[in-house]
């Protein structure tokens, strides 16, 4: 079991998301903060997946020159497609949960980042998004070394046409 991920950015983004979700002040300031909270929550999970991949392949901190290229290989859309596939489900029910959370968070991030200013966003919904991201990170922490390696390979390789 991995326990706590070794990338503090993941946890710091979750803290930032919580702080933003609790922003007070003018209504438009609150709405802007909640949008950024949703985005930060999504990116916490994205960076968690990046960390798991680079660590599982042995590049985290051991070879910083290879860490960035692995991060760059991880495409948001490809991660979603690969996590939704049969190979991800074969990694276990926890990966299925991570997959569902990633898709949900990505949808919420797109809504928060690309909707017009009139988007009606609520604090309780924003807090639920942050809670879902926290759970996804907690799920990542439970993956064993073999699951992490298999997940890393799944996420950074291209799917072959059948």
């Amino acid at each position: 079991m991995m326990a706590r991920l070794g990338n503090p950015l993941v946890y710091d983004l979750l803290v930032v998301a919580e702080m933003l979700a609790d922003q007070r002040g003018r209504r438009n300031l609150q709405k802007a903060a909640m949008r950024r909270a949703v985005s930060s929550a999504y990116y916490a999970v994205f960076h968690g997946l990046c960390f798991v991949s680079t660590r599982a392949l042995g590049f985290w901190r051991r070879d910083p020159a290879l860490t960035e290229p692995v991060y760059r290989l991880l495409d948001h859309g490809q991660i979603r497609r690969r996590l939704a596939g049969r190979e991800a489900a074969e990694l276990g029910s926890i990966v299925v949960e991570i997959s569902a959370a990633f898709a949900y968070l990505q949808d919420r991030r797109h809504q928060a980042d690309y909707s017009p200013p009139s988007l009606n966003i609520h604090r309780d919904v924003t807090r639920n998004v942050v809670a879902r991201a926290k759970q996804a990170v907690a799920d990542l922490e439970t993956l064993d070394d073999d699951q992490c390696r298999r997940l890393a390979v799944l996420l950074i390789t291209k799917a072959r046409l059948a």
Side-chain angles (χ1 to χ4, degrees):
M1 298 272 180
M2 189 180 302
R4 192 165 164 90
L5 299 179
N7 181 351
L9 177 61
V10 172
Y11 301 98
D12 291 343
L13 285 168
L14 291 172
V15 169
V16 166
E18 288 176 324
M19 290 169 38
L20 288 168
D22 290 333
Q23 174 69 47
R24 300 292 180 203
R26 294 180 294 107
R27 180 68 185 141
N28 285 339
L29 175 63
Q30 290 177 40
K31 285 174 65 174
M34 286 187 282
R35 284 174 177 246
R36 300 314 312 148
V38 167
S39 190
S40 292
Y42 166 79
Y43 277 106
V45 175
F46 176 77
H47 281 281
L49 289 166
C50 290
F51 170 77
V52 165
S53 296
T54 57
R55 181 179 174 269
L57 298 173
F59 300 140
W60 186 260
R61 297 207 184 175
R62 187 177 319 151
D63 195 343
L66 292 175
T67 299
E68 185 174 349
V70 172
Y71 261 63
R72 296 279 181 201
L73 283 170
L74 292 167
D75 173 75
H76 298 264
Q78 179 175 307
I79 289 174
R80 184 176 179 151
R81 286 188 297 279
R82 298 306 300 272
L83 284 176
R86 178 186 45 80
E87 293 109 337
E90 291 171 356
L91 295 176
S93 61
I94 203 72
V95 175
V96 172
E97 290 297 320
I98 293 166
S99 171
F102 186 82
Y104 170 80
L105 292 164
Q106 191 177 65
D107 288 345
R108 300 293 77 74
R109 183 191 70 85
H110 287 163
Q111 182 183 38
D113 287 352
Y114 303 119
S115 292
S118 60
L119 173 68
N120 197 6
I121 189 163
H122 299 281
R123 191 175 314 280
D124 58 333
V125 172
T126 302
R127 286 183 178 142
N128 287 337
V129 169
V130 174
R132 187 84 184 260
K134 289 174 79 171
Q135 183 59 55
V137 170
D139 290 344
L140 282 171
E141 293 170 343
T142 69
L143 298 177
D144 64 33
D145 290 342
D146 183 59
Q147 286 173 307
C148 289
R149 276 189 297 277
R150 292 173 62 201
L151 181 60
V153 170
L154 177 70
L155 295 181
I156 66 172
T157 57
K158 289 190 176 210
R160 292 181 85 58
L161 298 175

